[in-house]
């Protein structure tokens, strides 16, 4: 009799223990975030998307603004990734803040178009230590910093300048006076779009460089730079601008002074407004550079790097010469 009571006691407490475990499981699966009970509701995936931070030198440069818009358009079509695009306004300190914030937030990849080629070595190193791949877009970092980036996507500034040199020599018939309007000092394009151009035209003894002015990628500053070049030599024949936005600023000032027929202008960058300017004879020609290509490849590289794939070092943007004679075929 006593043995039967003991068995009943054990059975009773086993039932209580089983009920307690079931209750605890129900409480746990309904109270803990991310753990669900036996329901037909889909799991909440908010916050699972990988994040890519983008820091571009300045939206004042039309080419970079185009890159930013194209990158945002790429991200809109990919629900597995989120993108934050920021512009530094040509400020080194502002871009430093942006990059440090990206690293602190632990983004999955960074796309960087640097204000200055030599200014971000330590931050790029920090990104490497944090395991965050850096995609260098459009304007290269310097040689030392290159060791710490995952890949570069963009054109060869030297190749573009070489093409600009060819175009200038053809326009002048190997004889004449040239003025140069540069981009922001210390940036990769400013350095190589001048150096390589000078090297190319140096082999033509009847071509003279009358002056080199700063335009800082600004249409307004380029227009003022034209006045300085004219003061240096009123017989100038051609103005070479480091981008097509500044080239348009140069043309507008020349037109204001009644010199648009006398002095030719060339630039680099092939957005539709500049293609139309070549077709209309406002610009003698441009070296084409595709923001669509760069944005698409940068986005693809950032995603692959965020997933841990190894990338080749350089994805090169195709470039070519566009003048009035061939604009219809290439537009």
């Amino acid at each position: 009799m006593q043995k039967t009571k003991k068995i009943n006691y054990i059975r009773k407490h086993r039932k209580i223990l089983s009920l307690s475990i079931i209750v605890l499981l129900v409480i746990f699966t309904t109270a803990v975030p991310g753990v669900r009970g036996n329901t037909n509701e889909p799991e909440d995936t908010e916050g699972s998307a990988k994040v890519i931070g983008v820091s571009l030198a300045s939206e004042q440069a039309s080419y970079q603004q185009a890159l930013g818009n194209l990158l945002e358009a790429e991200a809109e079509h990919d629900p597995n990734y989120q993108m934050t695009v920021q512009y530094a306004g040509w400020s080194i300190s502002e871009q430093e803040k942006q990059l440090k914030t990206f690293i602190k937030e632990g983004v999955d990849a960074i796309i960087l178009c640097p204000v200055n080629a030599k200014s971000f070595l330590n931050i790029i190193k920090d990104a490497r230590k944090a395991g965050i791949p850096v995609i260098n877009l459009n304007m290269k970092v310097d040689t030392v910093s290159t060791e710490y980036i995952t890949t570069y996507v963009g054109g060869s500034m030297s190749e573009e300048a070489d093409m600009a040199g060819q175009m200038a020599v053809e326009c002048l018939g190997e004889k004449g006076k040239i003025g140069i309007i540069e981009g922001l000092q210390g940036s990769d394009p400013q350095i190589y779009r001048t150096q390589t151009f000078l090297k190319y035209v140096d082999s033509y003894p009847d071509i003279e460089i009358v002056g080199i002015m700063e335009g800082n990628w600004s249409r307004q500053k380029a227009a003022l730079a034209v006045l300085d070049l004219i003061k240096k030599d009123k017989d100038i024949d051609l103005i070479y601008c480091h981008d097509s936005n500044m080239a348009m600023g140069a043309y507008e000032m020349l037109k204001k002074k009644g010199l648009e027929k006398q002095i030719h202008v060339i630039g680099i960058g092939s957005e539709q407004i500049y293609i139309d300017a070549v077709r209309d004879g406002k610009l003698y020609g441009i070296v084409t550079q595709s923001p669509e290509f760069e944005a698409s490849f940068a986005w693809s590289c950032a995603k692959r790097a965020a997933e841990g794939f190894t990338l080749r070092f350089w994805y090169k943007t195709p470039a070519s010469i566009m003048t009035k004679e061939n604009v219809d075929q290439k537009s």
Side-chain angles (χ1 to χ4, degrees):
M1 183 71 177
Q2 191 169 351
K3 186 177 180 180
T4 303
K5 286 182 179 180
K6 186 175 181 180
I7 291 171
N8 290 337
Y9 178 83
I10 291 171
R11 286 175 177 171
K12 180 181 178 182
H13 280 79
R14 277 180 178 170
K15 288 181 180 179
I16 294 171
L17 181 61
S18 297
L19 287 170
S20 298
I21 291 171
I22 291 170
V23 170
L24 287 172
L25 285 171
V26 171
I27 293 171
F28 178 77
T29 56
T30 56
V32 177
V35 181
R36 294 182 178 272
N38 185 21
T39 71
N40 294 321
E41 295 179 18
E43 282 196 22
D44 181 11
T45 57
E46 184 178 356
S48 63
K50 289 187 177 296
V51 178
I52 296 174
V54 180
S55 178
L56 302 178
S58 178
E59 60 186 338
Q60 297 165 17
S62 60
Y63 190 84
Q64 289 186 47
Q65 189 175 48
L67 285 175
N69 293 337
L70 288 164
L71 284 168
E72 288 177 337
E74 292 278 358
E76 285 177 4
H77 296 98
D78 200 330
N80 296 318
Y81 290 85
Q82 295 177 359
M83 176 181 284
T84 301
V85 178
Q86 298 182 7
Y87 297 90
W90 297 124
S91 168
I92 293 173
S93 61
E94 180 60 29
Q95 194 158 52
E96 284 179 347
K97 290 177 186 176
Q98 292 171 2
L99 295 173
K100 287 179 179 178
T101 298
F102 288 153
I103 294 170
K104 185 178 180 180
E105 291 176 348
V107 299
D108 297 285
I110 293 172
I111 296 175
L112 169 65
C113 180
V115 171
N116 185 286
K118 298 181 179 181
S119 298
F120 303 103
L121 174 60
N122 291 333
I123 297 177
I124 296 172
K125 282 184 177 180
D126 290 342
R128 169 72 66 85
K129 290 177 184 176
I132 301 173
V134 177
I135 311 303
N136 182 198
L137 174 63
N138 184 242
M139 300 198 298
K140 273 187 178 181
V141 295
D142 71 318
T143 304
V144 178
S145 302
T146 294
E147 182 180 345
Y148 299 94
I149 66 169
T150 300
T151 189
Y152 170 73
V153 178
S156 166
M157 305 302 168
S158 293
E159 180 186 34
E160 292 164 357
D162 194 75
M163 289 181 176
Q166 294 176 44
M167 189 161 41
V169 170
E170 177 188 311
C171 175
L172 298 178
E174 302 185 8
K175 182 178 181 180
K177 297 181 178 182
I178 298 175
I180 299 174
I181 300 179
E182 297 184 311
L184 187 71
Q185 296 295 304
S187 64
D188 175 62
Q190 177 271 322
I191 295 168
Y192 292 102
R193 285 179 182 172
T194 291
Q195 285 184 6
T196 308
F197 183 86
L198 292 175
K199 184 178 179 181
Y200 187 91
V201 300
D202 188 55
S203 59
Y204 295 87
D206 292 327
I207 290 181
E208 177 187 354
I209 304 297
V210 300
I212 302 175
M213 302 296 169
E214 292 183 25
N216 294 341
W217 311 117
S218 164
R219 185 176 292 204
Q220 292 75 24
K221 290 181 179 178
L224 295 175
V226 167
L227 296 178
D228 291 331
L229 287 171
I230 294 171
K231 286 178 183 177
K232 280 181 172 292
D233 196 319
K234 61 182 177 61
D235 296 322
I236 192 169
D237 299 294
L238 182 142
I239 295 176
Y240 159 50
C241 298
H242 279 187
D243 77 354
S244 297
N245 181 52
M246 292 192 297
M248 289 303 298
Y251 168 79
E252 288 162 3
M253 179 57 74
L254 291 172
K255 185 176 181 181
K256 186 176 179 180
K257 295 295 182 180
L259 299 171
E260 75 275 16
K261 301 295 184 184
Q262 175 185 328
I263 302 174
H264 299 289
V265 182
I266 62 176
I268 298 175
S270 54
E271 289 123 291
Q272 190 60 48
I273 184 175
Y274 309 132
I275 295 173
D276 292 342
V278 173
R279 180 181 290 111
D280 297 339
K282 296 177 181 179
L283 302 181
Y284 175 80
I286 55 177
V287 176
T288 66
Q289 183 183 4
S290 169
E292 291 82 7
F293 181 95
E294 287 193 10
S296 177
F297 264 75
W299 176 243
S300 176
C301 286
K303 290 197 300 180
R304 290 178 62 80
E307 296 289 349
F309 288 95
T310 301
L311 306 173
R312 64 185 174 92
F313 175 66
W314 189 0
Y315 291 86
K316 185 168 176 268
T317 303
S320 61
I321 293 173
M322 182 180 290
T323 61
K324 190 173 178 62
E325 285 70 28
N326 63 10
V327 68
D328 291 327
Q329 289 85 354
K330 293 187 179 182
S331 60

